[in-house]
Amino acid sequence: MEADIARVLYHESTILSRLDELAARITADYREKELTVVAILNGSFIFMADLLRRVPLPLQLDSWSVSSYHGTKTSGTIQFRQTQIADVRGRHVLLLDDILDSGLTLHAIRDRMEKESGAASVRSCVLLRKMVPRTCPVEADYVGFDIPDEFVVGYGLDYNERYRNLPYIGILTEEAIRRNAL
Ligand code: IMP
Ligand code: MG
């Protein structure tokens, strides 16, 4: 797996220090509020675990499973895999996603949450934000790192379901992209 990485973008220690800062802001912002964190799976599972252990609030956790990507390109449509969503009426919702790219995923989820859930507020937190024009008008309220327009893997992020368990974020070699293409 290591040999498939052309370049490491963020080492684990760098990611964790940044999570300390993000978690401190989130903790301060939600101190007196009823917080429900909604993690967008699969991509945010490591981010979620590392971030939430740094937020000492009595929060509740739910997760939504969605998919939009095939290979290194967005498919353009969002598929929701779960049928039931947790009751967040009157609660403050913080969406967690691995990466904000075209904005399609976050926009669809935010929209559904704002229209259907009765939440008191909806904000979003992403580990990575790609510096590209957004297809959808959506912004993240908390951002770990701004990255250039490159396809990244690791720390939860996949390429055709591989590499999620790499402890750092990196860029694949051309050879690995070809070999693992669908
Ligand atoms: P968006 O809908 O285009 O904003 O893309 C968001 C989703 O696409 C993320 O939750 C990821 O699952 C996936 N994605 C976007 N960019 C990358 C990447 O560079 N590496 C791995 N997955 C990505
Ligand atoms: Mg993905």
Side-chain angles (χ1 to χ4, degrees), residues 2 4 11 23 35-36 40 50 56 88 98 111 121 123 139 159 174:
E2 304 265 325
D4 291 355
H11 288 281
L35 172 62
T36 296
I40 313 305
D50 281 343
V88 293
D98 51 359
D111 199 52
S121 72
R123 283 191 192 166
E139 257 313 319
Y159 172 52
E174 292 292 330

Side-chain angles (χ1 to χ4, degrees), residues 42-43 66-71 98-99 151 156-161 164:
N42 293 327
V66 303
S67 68
S68 76
Y69 251 59
H70 295 286
D98 51 359
I99 185 165
F151 191 80
L157 292 128
D158 72 303
Y159 172 52
N160 291 331
E161 295 306 326
R164 290 197 197 275

Side-chain angles (χ1 to χ4, degrees), residues 55-89:
V55 178
L57 297 176
L59 57 85
Q60 293 183 6
L61 177 66
D62 189 26
S63 57
W64 282 22
S65 191
V66 303
S67 68
S68 76
Y69 251 59
H70 295 286
T72 61
K73 293 278 176 317
T74 180
S75 67
T77 52
I78 303 300
Q79 288 174 336
F80 288 92
R81 297 211 195 96
Q82 87 294 352
T83 47
Q84 280 224 301
I85 60 176
D87 185 1
V88 293
R89 265 169 298 175

